[in-house]
Amino acid sequence: MTQLRGGAAGSHRRGHRPPALRGQRPGQTGRMALSTDHRADDGQAGAAGLAAPPDPRDPRGLRADAPLLDAWLRFSAQAQSGELTPMSVPGHKQRQDLTGAVVAADAPLYGGLDTIKHADVLLAEAERRAARLWGADWCRFSVAGSTHGNQALALAVGSPGQQVIVTRCLHRSLLLGLVLAGLEPVWVLPERDPGSGLPAAVAVGTVRAALAAHPGACAVFLGDPSYVGTTGDLAGHARAAHEAGVPLVVDAAWAAHLGFHPGLPPHAIAAGADAMVTSAHKALPAFTQGALVLARTGLLDPARLDRAFEATHTTSPAGPIVASIDAARALLARDGAELCARLLRLVAAARQRLAQVPGLGVLDGPGVEPTKLVVLLPGTGAHGNAVEADLIAAGMPVEMADRDTIVPIITLADDEAAVARFTGTLVATIERHRGAPRPPVPSPAWTVTPQVVLPPREAFFAPNETVAADAAVGRVSAELVAPYPPGVPVLAPGEIITAEALAALRTAHAEGGRIAYAADPGLATLQVIAPAP
Ligand SMILES: Cc1ncc(COP(=O)(O)O)c(C=O)c1O
C-alpha cells in the first residue's frame, strides 16, 4: 500500500474558515506582518516553479506543499536578517547573545509562523493535508509527543468509570491517560514470542473475549507495532471493536512510516482503526516531541477529540516542531515510497549481516515490522548493557539495551554507510563481550500479570505511604514504576506489588537499567496505598 490518499479529509474543529493561504490579510502590517503567501520572497527560492538554486534550508523543496514549513522558513529568514523587533514571546527575542545558539531555530506558532489571530488557520491547513495523506477525517499536530496523543485519546473516548479494553504492554503515558480520564482498564495480555520471551501482538480472540465479558467497555486501546516491532491483525481487531460498537484506538508511536510502501504493513487507520497516535519524531525526520493524532469520526466525535486534545496541550506550540511535522508529512507524501524502499533494503541487509554472527538472533517473521531491528544476545553470552556502553563510546547510542536485547532505531534518515558502520561496530563489540550462551530472561516489562485491586485513578489519588520495598510486597502500589525504555509500567497504581515484580525490577536496576517514575529510583522504598484510618 503506497501513499494512502483520499478519505473524507477536512477539519471539523473550531469552526475554521477555509484556509486563506495567499495574500496579505487586513491588519497585517508592520514588521511582524508575516505573510502566509507561499510565493513571498524571503531571499530564498520559494514555491515550485522559480528557477532559483535549491534553498539549502529546504534542500528537497518541501515548502511548496508544507504551509507551516514555509512559514517557519520565512520567519527565521526575517529573524536572522534582523528585521524583527518582536514585542511578544518568546523571551529570547531571537537574540543569541544571552542564552546563545540553543534558541536558534525557535519561533512560536502563534505570533511567529503567523499572527496570533491567524496561525490557527495555517495550522488547520497543515493538519488537513496530514489527515488526507493518512486517509483520516481529523488530525492534530502535537508538540508533546505520543505521550500527549495517548492522553488526548483517552480523554476522548468515554466518561469516568467506564471500562476500556487495554493491552498491559501499554506505554506509561496511556496509563496516565486512564488516570486523567477516569477510565477503568480491562487488561488484555499479548501473546509471547516463544524463542525470545518478547511480546507478540494481542490476539483478536483475546480482545473479542474481553469485549464479550465487558459489554459496557467504551473502546479498545492497543499498541501496534509493539515496542519491539511485533504487529498483529489490526483489521481483525477493528472488526471485533466495531461489532461491539466501540472504536479501536492504536498507539502507533513507532510507526509513522507504515503504509507508505507495499513492503510495509498498512498503518492503523488504513487497517480500520478509528484513531491512531504516532510520533513523527521517532520514525520520521521531524523535531523531537513532534507527533500526530489522527482519527476517523464515525465512532469518535471531532469536537470531543478537539476538546480532549486541547485539554493537555500547550497554548504555545513551538513553530519548528509543528513545521517539521508538516515537512515530514510533505516528504512522506512525495518521496515516502522511495525512502521506505531504501529503509527496507538497509534493515534487510543489517539482518543478513547479523544472522552470520554465531549465536546472535534477530527478531523476524511475518508478525514483525520489517524495518524494526531487534537484536537478541543470549546465544552470544554478551551482556546488552556492556555492548551498549561500547556503542555509546563509539558515538552510536541505541534506543534500548537490556541484558538480552539491543534495539537500534534505523529510519528514513539512515543510509548504507551509516547502517554498515553500525552493524560492523555492533558485531565487533559483541565479539569483545562474548561469553557462555544463556537462556533469555525477558524484561519485567513483558511479563507483568496484573492483579488489580483499585482503578488507576482511584489509586493515584488515594492516601499513600512510603514503606521499605520488601514490606511493600502484597500491598497495593500507589505509584507507577517502569524500567525506561521501554516505559511499560511494571508497577501500576492500584495493582498488587508482587515479589516477582520487585525482584525483576531490582535485577533491572542492579544491571544498570533506569527505573523511571518511582519516588525512590533506587527501589529501597515504594509508595503504597495507606490503610483506611
Ligand atoms: C509505545 C509508545 N507509546 C508512546 C510513547 C511516547 O512517545 P513520545 O516520546 O513521543 O511522547 C512511547 C515512547 O517511547 C512508546 O514507546
Side-chain angles (χ1 to χ4, degrees):
M1 186 166 319
T2 52
Q3 298 185 16
L4 295 148
R5 288 171 185 280
S11 174
H12 295 256
R13 66 195 162 89
R14 303 195 293 266
H16 279 140
R17 59 197 160 102
L21 289 175
R22 308 238 174 231
Q24 195 148 345
R25 293 170 302 284
Q28 259 204 327
T29 55
R31 307 179 87 187
M32 285 293 285
L34 302 170
S35 165
T36 48
D37 185 339
H38 285 201
R39 294 163 302 183
D41 186 2
D42 59 13
Q44 307 289 338
L50 296 183
D55 179 348
R57 299 180 313 146
D58 176 27
R60 286 182 179 240
L62 297 174
R63 71 189 302 177
D65 174 38
L68 290 171
L69 172 67
D70 181 60
W72 179 84
L73 287 165
R74 195 183 350 267
F75 177 90
S76 55
Q78 279 184 299
Q80 272 160 27
S81 68
E83 278 174 50
L84 299 175
T85 310
M87 289 297 137
S88 56
V89 296
H92 56 67
K93 300 290 183 100
Q94 304 300 323
R95 287 174 57 162
Q96 292 184 34
D97 60 334
L98 295 167
T99 44
V102 71
V103 295
D106 191 32
L109 168 65
Y110 293 101
L113 269 50
D114 205 336
T115 62
I116 289 174
K117 292 192 174 57
H118 195 261
D120 258 6
V121 174
L122 190 67
L123 175 65
E125 169 59 16
E127 291 170 340
R128 191 187 61 76
R129 292 178 193 218
R132 192 170 61 208
L133 183 66
W134 269 274
D137 303 320
W138 179 95
C139 173
R140 298 299 308 270
F141 290 179
S142 175
V143 300
S146 288
T147 295
H148 167 238
N150 274 332
Q151 294 173 358
L153 291 172
L155 285 167
V157 296
S159 2
Q162 274 192 297
Q163 291 183 316
V164 282
I165 313 299
V166 193
T167 169
R168 190 55 179 77
C169 272
L170 82 178
H171 185 253
R172 46 83 59 177
S173 57
L174 179 55
L175 201 140
L176 271 304
L178 304 182
V179 169
L180 290 171
L183 297 172
E184 300 191 0
V186 174
W187 297 118
V188 286
L189 301 182
E191 304 293 296
R192 196 77 70 71
D193 175 59
S196 61
L198 293 173
V202 177
V204 175
T206 307
V207 167
R208 277 192 184 279
L211 283 166
H214 301 275
C218 63
V220 176
F221 277 87
L222 296 175
D224 198 285
S226 71
Y227 188 87
V228 291
T230 43
T231 59
D233 176 8
L234 281 184
H237 282 297
R239 276 194 300 277
H242 295 161
E243 279 163 33
V246 300
L248 170 66
V249 177
V250 178
D251 175 352
W254 296 95
H257 60 303
L258 293 195
F260 291 91
H261 187 280
L264 292 169
H267 57 70
I269 295 285
D274 299 275
M276 74 178 237
V277 56
T278 190
S279 296
H281 72 94
K282 293 195 195 300
L284 304 181
F287 230 99
T288 294
Q289 294 180 209
L292 295 125
V293 192
L294 295 138
R296 284 213 180 92
T297 55
L299 290 167
L300 293 167
D301 169 24
R304 171 72 179 274
L305 282 163
D306 268 322
R307 282 201 296 280
F309 181 92
E310 294 294 355
T312 50
H313 202 220
T314 176
T315 47
S316 311
I321 301 181
V322 291
S324 75
I325 300 171
D326 192 25
R329 187 272 314 149
L331 180 72
L332 266 186
R334 199 187 59 192
D335 302 335
E338 175 202 326
L339 291 169
C340 288
R342 178 174 75 173
L343 176 60
L344 282 157
R345 272 199 317 276
L346 292 180
V347 179
R351 280 180 204 280
Q352 229 174 19
R353 170 77 184 89
L354 297 176
Q356 291 161 10
V357 178
L360 195 62
V362 178
L363 207 58
D364 212 346
V368 178
E369 200 272 271
T371 69
K372 188 83 170 190
L373 193 60
V374 175
V375 181
L376 308 171
L377 296 170
T380 69
H383 194 301
N385 289 350
V387 172
E388 180 190 32
D390 282 10
L391 290 170
I392 291 171
M396 297 179 184
V398 291
E399 189 61 31
M400 182 202 148
D402 62 17
R403 192 187 76 149
D404 291 344
T405 322
I406 301 271
V407 184
I409 300 295
I410 301 177
T411 75
L412 308 181
D414 285 302
D415 59 18
E416 274 82 359
V419 176
R421 209 163 43 244
F422 172 72
T423 49
T425 309
L426 177 64
V427 170
T429 183
I430 288 170
E431 292 306 342
R432 253 197 316 281
H433 294 285
R434 191 176 270 287
R438 55 170 191 263
V441 177
S443 152
W446 313 134
T447 54
V448 181
T449 311
Q451 297 173 41
V452 180
V453 175
L454 290 175
R457 182 183 174 87
E458 208 179 306
F460 185 89
F461 291 109
N464 62 74
E465 60 186 8
T466 302
V467 298
D470 287 322
V473 171
R475 301 278 303 267
V476 180
S477 183
E479 55 183 344
L480 184 158
V481 179
Y484 212 109
V488 173
V490 171
L491 302 183
E495 293 178 5
I496 297 278
I497 300 170
T498 63
E500 296 74 39
L502 178 60
L505 282 172
R506 280 178 164 155
T507 304
H509 179 250
E511 289 184 341
R514 173 186 158 218
I515 306 299
Y517 315 114
D520 173 3
L523 294 172
T525 61
L526 288 170
Q527 296 200 320
V528 296
I529 305 295

